[in-house]
């Protein structure tokens, strides 16, 4: 007679994940402010990313069913104007995870929007326009 397992159920896309947000804004002095939160890991705090640098989050997810990571981005492109908004940088949708190769989601923040590096297509795909 077998006993019921006490282990947590494993989702179809469980495993180790890496989310990177790269500052590829023009201008060497352009600072990108990033503040992320996840429904599984809470508040990840504010980070200021210099041009050419990146912010990285690593996590293990046993139940990739409803996990999401949202980040608020903002940057100034002139003394009186800025861009920004709230964007979802991770979710458990199969088509999204395929773009990330089921392990690494690399986002590139550019002047005209936010791009996801699609590991399946081996190209950067514009995913979001700036909200403001």
């Amino acid at each position: 007679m077998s006993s019921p397992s006490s282990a947590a159920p494993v989702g179809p896309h469980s495993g180790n994940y890496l989310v990177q947000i790269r500052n590829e804004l023009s201008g060497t002095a352009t600072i990108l402010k990033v503040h992320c939160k996840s429904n599984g890991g809470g508040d990840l705090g504010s980070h200021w990313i210099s041009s050419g640098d990146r912010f990285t989050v690593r996590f293990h997810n046993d139940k990739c069913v409803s996990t999401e990571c949202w980040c608020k981005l903002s940057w100034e492109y002139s003394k009186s104007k800025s861009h920004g908004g709230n964007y979802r940088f991770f979710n458990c949708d199969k088509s999204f995870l395929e773009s990330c190769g089921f392990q690494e989601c690399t986002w590139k923040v550019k002047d005209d929007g936010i791009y996801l590096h699609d590991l399946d297509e081996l190209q950067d795909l514009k995913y979001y326009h700036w909200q403001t």
Side-chain angles (χ1 to χ4, degrees):
M1 178 186 215
S2 63
S3 62
S5 171
S6 62
V10 176
H13 310 299
S14 62
N16 296 313
Y17 292 96
L18 173 82
V19 176
Q20 290 187 68
I21 300 173
R22 298 175 144 197
N23 181 350
E24 294 191 2
L25 297 165
S26 62
T28 56
T30 306
I31 303 295
L32 175 68
K33 182 179 178 184
V34 178
H35 188 126
C36 298
K37 295 180 180 183
S38 75
N39 60 351
D43 191 336
L44 302 174
S46 294
H47 303 271
W48 289 262
I49 316 302
S50 298
S51 183
D53 286 342
R54 73 186 126 210
F55 170 67
T56 303
V57 177
R58 297 175 195 271
F59 60 95
H60 180 80
N61 193 334
D62 286 331
K63 297 180 259 182
C64 196
V65 177
S66 62
T67 300
E68 292 185 337
C69 179
W70 289 82
C71 298
K72 180 177 182 179
L73 305 182
S74 60
W75 63 283
E76 291 183 7
Y77 62 93
S78 75
K79 292 190 186 253
S80 61
K81 296 184 180 182
S82 63
H83 278 310
N86 290 300
Y87 306 95
R88 184 171 65 174
F89 284 93
F90 184 84
N91 68 75
C92 291
D93 178 70
K94 184 181 177 191
S95 63
F96 172 79
L97 292 174
E98 284 173 351
S99 298
C100 297
F102 291 97
Q103 65 186 44
E104 183 176 322
C105 303
T106 299
W107 296 90
K108 297 179 179 180
V109 177
K110 300 181 182 188
D111 294 354
D112 67 333
I114 303 166
Y115 293 74
L116 175 63
H117 182 72
D118 188 318
L119 291 173
D120 191 39
E121 300 288 328
L122 296 176
Q123 63 182 343
D124 295 341
L125 303 173
K126 190 170 189 177
Y127 213 82
Y128 296 117
H129 293 279
W130 291 109
Q131 294 171 354
T132 61

